[in-house]
Amino acid sequence: MATFVMRPVSRIARRIHSSKAIQRDLNTSSACSAQMTVRESLNSAMEEEIKRDPKVFLLGEEVAQYDGAYKVTKGLYQTFGDKRIIDTPITEMGFAGIAVGAAMAGLRPICEFMTFNFAMQAIDQIINSAAKTHYMSAGDVNVPIVFRGPNGASAGVAAQHSQCFAAWFGHCPGLKVVCPFSSADAKGLLKSAIRDDNPVVFLENEILYGRPFEMPEEALKDDYLVPIGKAKIEREGTDVTLVSHSLGVLRSLEAAQILAADGISAEVVNLRSIRPLDVDAILTSVKKTNHLITVEGGWPHFGVGSEICATVIESDAFDYLDAPVVRVSGADVPMPYSTELEAASLPQVSNIVTSVKKTLHVDSALQTN
Amino acid sequence: KAVSWKFLRCYSSTVNEANVTVSDFKLHKLDDGPETNTVLTRDEALKYYREMQVIRRMETAAGTLYKSKEIRGFCHLYSGQEACCVGIQNALTLDDAVITAYRAHGWAYMRGISAHGILAELTGRKTGCAKGKGGSMHMYAKNFYGGNGIVGAQVPLGAGIALAHQYRDEKTVCVTLYGDGAANQGQIFEAFNMAKLWDLPAIFVCENNKYGMGTAVDRAAASTDYYTRGDYIPGIWIDGMDVIAVREATKFSKDYCLSGKGPLVLEVETYRYHGHSMSDPGTSYRTREEVQEIRQQRDPIISFKQKIIELNLTTEEELKDIDKSVRKEIEEAVVKAKADPRPAIAETFTHVYANTPKYTVRGCDAFSVHTSS
């Protein structure tokens, strides 16, 4: 399998579509003036919001003096001190409950889970205490909390540290669930999540933390917000729609580049939000391309792709489909450790390319790998 | 004021206040504890008596409504435990916070929700304190965070509410209640740990009514000294049938917490007359004789009544008048609740999110479209 050079999205786009107006957002903004990694943008978002609103504070394991297990919260403790940045013991159910209680009582906590695998220990507090309270109290009590941390596969961390929770949390009314891809996404969505008066599950990706992205001018400002519930077209196309979130967007863009060499124009939709899902963006794209592939890192059954499939089938976009919707996902196994087994468990570019070609009934002999 | 008018008119033989000795406390890792000698005023005596009677009558009314199927689902009655919420709340203000589990009707009343608001919620009316959307286990008021259905979950929440008070430098505490059954939950110990580490102004209160659903305390807990289960957190055991003892312990605890000494664990030993909930007769795991004995010898309302009459703070007739007035209040609340309108179907789809632009909420099929506001 050929290796792919990891390049920022904008440069790939400019090379392939030099004559067309490219991604709406990157082209209409002023010249990109800086690169930031996802980690830096998350840090920046939290710093700005903690400075802006005295009610915002952060708690979690190793977030303060250790600078964060993945260094996402680096420097915040130095800047803000003990009151705003709180190291907790390794007791997820307890500190998540404390964070939810503090939110009920009017503060705006950011509760970090070192990974979302550990959030399972706290899931009762997330669902039964946070998500449902505004409804049960008929609007008397709201819970303005953000639960954030890395979600899904990392590299070589095996079964108990690799699960994707997008579908689990996306299932629950009362939660908002967001999932950034780029650095601009990360910054704008985290700021929106912190300002939202509801519990927001903010699913990051450890593999993307270190990846640099071009930041448009406005994303560098301290009032840059990305609305929750709005997807982004990362790459326009006409033959097939690839809908994804988080790392899956990167794989989809890589697949799109390969497909372009074979004359197939793929549109890549970056969901950015799992709940609420930007159904309009998906349906508009499907009506344009007539073919849909969903891409996600989580397990196939009862997943995000299943939901998108059902949504499209129930809509008027169904009549625009020229082929069944097809899902690309993680394999239906707990994550194995060995490199080749792990690779076989995670959606690769080849899975997407194969799925597109089968959907479009293109000869698979043309498949480049 | 009505009470002093009556005083002038009929009860000139009663006194305005009296010295009271309460039952002893047991202390854990505390050198000094709450006062056993205190002053009870006439106004306080009448207030506490009335409050306990309202709760007792309201819970009886709720039981009757449940049996006639006007109340559905879960209904956990507080009868027998009145001295706990009345004693605790009378040492707090409504700026202090309270959070409890699902046996919450007495607490909802003490936190400012009227008997009508509670009964209307129980009977699913739109005039209920949660507009009919919460039910028995989910009643809220200002600084009263329910009503929580998941055993033990309210304890970390309560520690978090205390953290918010501390964060804002407020001179208020959060009282977090849980039962003897919940006392073995791991998350409670996680909350204890953080509350002590961070000196949170949290008063944890175990309402020990001797049975976690159908399981007696000695079958569930390796240590039934719940006031010591906070280990490094000092604790106080209180006779939960003595409303003044409960009040004094709470006064002491609030002062302790707000002086920066950190949390406390209180155990109020009490008893519930009804089963765990309306679907439990409460006789398969305890004898009728045991229940009768408590009713006759340790009832919090009867024993308080005897005490305040003995102390000359009031008379039998005056208390009878209060009983009559309470009966009327509850009867009227029941009649009104039963006549109140039911919520509109559209309310099914509201309040999922706060301060969020209108959106479409999916109903039970692909063709029913509802709006969030």
Side-chain angles (χ1 to χ4, degrees):
Chain A
M1 183 153 65
T3 52
F4 297 101
V5 177
M6 301 297 171
R7 291 208 190 114
V9 169
S10 54
R11 275 191 239 141
I12 297 169
R14 253 175 259 148
R15 201 151 47 75
I16 295 177
H17 297 279
S18 51
S19 58
K20 287 161 54 177
I22 319 162
Q23 286 77 355
R24 287 188 271 265
D25 299 72
L26 291 178
N27 226 29
T28 52
S29 52
S30 42
C32 299
S33 50
Q35 278 206 350
M36 280 176 78
T37 62
V38 171
R39 176 184 285 115
E40 286 161 350
S41 326
L42 293 169
N43 188 287
S44 182
M46 283 189 277
E47 189 185 355
E48 286 168 10
E49 294 304 299
I50 292 171
K51 195 185 295 180
R52 175 182 176 268
D53 184 349
K55 299 190 291 296
V56 177
F57 72 99
L58 167 73
L59 82 173
E61 295 157 12
E62 312 298 352
V63 297
Q65 296 186 15
Y66 194 84
D67 272 337
Y70 299 98
K71 304 296 176 242
V72 177
T73 56
K74 185 170 173 171
L76 296 180
Y77 178 66
Q78 255 186 319
T79 308
F80 297 108
D82 279 322
K83 180 176 165 166
R84 313 293 297 280
I85 314 292
I86 302 174
D87 276 334
T88 65
I90 308 172
T91 52
E92 275 78 3
M93 198 168 186
F95 73 70
I98 281 178
V100 173
M104 287 178 178
L107 297 182
R108 304 186 76 91
I110 305 167
C111 177
E112 176 177 303
F113 292 116
M114 197 180 282
T115 78
F116 266 94
N117 300 285
F118 316 136
M120 274 201 284
Q121 303 212 303
I123 204 158
D124 176 68
Q125 296 289 3
I126 298 170
I127 309 300
N128 278 321
S129 301
K132 297 178 183 173
T133 292
H134 190 255
Y135 188 84
M136 293 190 294
S137 68
D140 270 354
V141 181
N142 73 308
V143 187
I145 188 168
V146 176
F147 298 104
R148 54 157 290 273
N151 172 63
S154 174
V157 295
Q160 293 179 341
H161 290 76
S162 305
Q163 190 170 330
C164 175
F165 292 87
W168 282 28
F169 291 121
H171 191 54
C172 302
L175 290 182
K176 296 188 184 179
V177 182
V178 297
C179 199
F181 162 58
S182 66
S183 298
D185 284 351
K187 181 168 180 209
L189 281 173
L190 186 51
K191 286 167 75 74
S192 291
I194 292 166
R195 296 188 196 191
D196 200 296
D197 288 335
N198 296 282
V200 181
V201 171
F202 192 89
L203 303 172
E204 300 163 7
N205 184 288
E206 200 240 311
I207 294 172
L208 289 175
Y209 277 156
R211 187 179 178 81
F213 287 85
E214 299 281 358
M215 288 286 270
E217 193 81 47
E218 69 262 18
L220 298 171
K221 303 209 184 92
D222 68 1
D223 58 357
Y224 176 67
L225 300 174
V226 169
I228 292 176
K230 287 277 168 273
K232 179 170 179 251
I233 311 295
E234 295 289 348
R235 179 192 177 114
E236 284 191 11
T238 53
D239 298 329
V240 60
T241 298
L242 303 176
V243 175
S244 189
H245 57 277
S246 188
L247 193 59
V249 177
L250 186 60
R251 300 286 172 252
S252 300
L253 288 166
E254 290 162 355
Q257 186 185 354
I258 292 169
L259 291 164
D262 285 332
I264 298 169
S265 161
E267 178 149 288
V268 176
V269 178
N270 170 12
L271 284 172
R272 300 198 297 191
S273 286
I274 302 294
R275 178 185 264 269
L277 213 48
D278 189 348
V279 175
D280 284 341
I282 298 169
L283 299 185
T284 302
S285 183
V286 169
K287 287 176 182 174
K288 184 167 84 164
T289 68
N290 313 118
H291 299 88
L292 176 59
I293 314 279
T294 65
V295 180
E296 67 199 286
W299 292 317
H301 302 303
F302 308 93
V304 175
S306 315
E307 173 63 26
I308 292 171
C309 210
T311 300
V312 168
I313 286 168
E314 284 181 343
S315 75
D316 60 347
F318 174 75
D319 292 324
Y320 291 72
L321 286 171
D322 287 341
V325 180
V326 160
R327 300 166 292 171
V328 171
S329 68
D332 191 31
V333 297
M335 184 67 63
Y337 164 66
S338 264
T339 320
E340 46 282 285
L341 302 187
E342 185 184 63
S345 308
L346 290 168
Q348 303 298 337
V349 177
S350 56
N351 298 113
I352 304 174
V353 171
T354 301
S355 299
V356 168
K357 289 189 172 176
K358 287 225 183 260
T359 301
L360 295 175
H361 302 291
V362 169
D363 187 345
S364 57
L366 288 173
Q367 182 174 329
T368 50
N369 230 0
Chain B
K1 306 247 178 98
V3 171
S4 14
W5 169 78
K6 278 194 178 132
F7 169 75
L8 286 170
R9 187 173 155 243
C10 300
Y11 306 111
S12 49
S13 58
T14 56
V15 299
N16 241 352
E17 61 177 53
N19 289 315
V20 178
T21 304
V22 303
S23 20
D24 278 331
F25 304 101
K26 288 190 252 184
L27 303 179
H28 169 72
K29 298 200 175 158
L30 274 174
D31 293 321
D32 300 302
E35 289 294 324
T36 45
N37 292 306
T38 186
V39 171
L40 179 64
T41 71
R42 193 179 123 75
D43 283 354
E44 286 167 349
L46 296 173
K47 179 176 193 278
Y48 305 170
Y49 179 82
R50 189 175 206 287
E51 284 166 349
M52 290 196 282
Q53 278 290 46
V54 167
I55 294 167
R56 180 67 62 89
R57 282 228 160 251
M58 179 180 72
E59 294 293 75
T60 303
T64 307
L65 285 165
Y66 193 92
K67 287 178 191 145
S68 63
K69 299 198 194 296
E70 302 264 3
I71 297 177
R72 306 159 56 241
F74 293 128
C75 190
H76 307 88
L77 300 178
Y78 202 69
S79 315
Q81 299 185 209
E82 296 86 357
C84 299
C85 66
V86 173
I88 291 173
Q89 182 54 42
N90 276 294
L92 302 175
T93 70
L94 289 177
D95 290 329
D96 294 303
V98 170
I99 187 170
T100 186
Y102 46 75
R103 199 176 301 282
H105 309 157
W107 274 107
Y109 177 72
M110 290 308 294
R111 295 299 300 187
I113 304 173
S114 67
H116 166 257
I118 293 166
L119 292 168
E121 183 60 31
L122 290 173
T123 52
R125 302 319 200 221
K126 84 181 216 191
T127 48
C129 55
K131 304 192 174 80
K133 295 174 82 154
S136 171
M137 299 182 289
H138 308 295
M139 300 182 179
Y140 303 84
K142 185 165 188 291
N143 295 323
F144 175 57
Y145 298 90
N148 288 274
I150 306 297
V151 171
Q154 75 278 15
V155 180
L157 293 177
I161 294 162
L163 186 147
H165 289 208
Q166 183 191 65
Y167 189 98
R168 292 188 294 248
D169 287 318
E170 289 162 355
K171 295 288 160 233
T172 46
V173 294
C174 178
V175 173
T176 301
L177 299 119
Y178 57 97
D180 49 275
N184 303 308
Q185 276 259 319
Q187 58 184 319
I188 290 185
F189 297 95
E190 295 186 14
F192 283 172
N193 182 45
M194 286 179 273
K196 185 63 179 166
L197 260 181
W198 302 334
D199 289 322
L200 299 181
I203 304 174
F204 299 105
V205 181
C206 177
E207 285 179 307
N208 175 10
N209 62 18
K210 312 306 232 156
Y211 297 92
M213 199 156 149
T215 303
V217 289
D218 56 356
R219 286 180 58 228
S223 161
T224 55
D225 292 321
Y226 298 104
Y227 69 107
T228 68
R229 297 280 295 274
D231 185 12
Y232 41 78
I233 299 180
I236 308 171
W237 175 96
I238 303 127
D239 175 1
M241 300 310 230
D242 180 345
V243 68
I244 305 301
V246 176
R247 183 189 77 174
E248 290 309 301
T250 309
K251 266 194 212 160
F252 171 89
S253 303
K254 183 172 168 176
D255 286 339
Y256 181 98
C257 290
L258 291 181
S259 66
K261 296 193 187 120
L264 282 172
V265 174
L266 307 187
E267 176 187 345
V268 279
E269 189 171 311
T270 182
Y271 199 84
R272 56 165 160 80
Y273 295 142
H274 298 281
H276 163 72
S277 71
M278 287 305 296
S279 51
D280 169 29
T283 47
S284 63
Y285 47 86
R286 54 188 192 174
T287 62
R288 287 185 201 276
E289 289 71 42
E290 177 186 297
V291 183
Q292 273 305 95
E293 193 184 324
I294 309 273
R295 270 200 194 269
Q296 278 155 10
Q297 294 176 12
R298 296 190 59 224
D299 183 273
I301 301 177
I302 294 172
S303 56
F304 188 62
K305 172 177 173 174
Q306 281 164 358
K307 183 178 269 184
I308 58 180
I309 290 174
E310 260 167 39
L311 291 170
N312 222 2
L313 291 165
T314 182
T315 67
E316 187 94 41
E317 292 76 46
E318 187 170 29
L319 294 182
K320 279 212 174 79
D321 281 346
I322 291 178
D323 290 348
K324 238 193 278 183
S325 141
V326 168
R327 199 175 322 140
K328 184 166 180 284
E329 178 182 328
I330 300 301
E331 270 165 12
E332 283 172 2
V334 170
V335 165
K336 186 165 192 303
K338 283 166 89 162
D340 276 347
R342 301 200 65 89
I345 300 298
E347 283 296 341
T348 311
F349 306 101
T350 55
H351 302 119
V352 179
Y353 296 106
N355 301 328
T356 291
K358 193 154 78 161
Y359 67 99
T360 310
V361 185
R362 189 185 171 103
C364 296
D365 63 47
F367 309 99
S368 56
V369 167
H370 305 275
T371 183
S372 60
S373 57

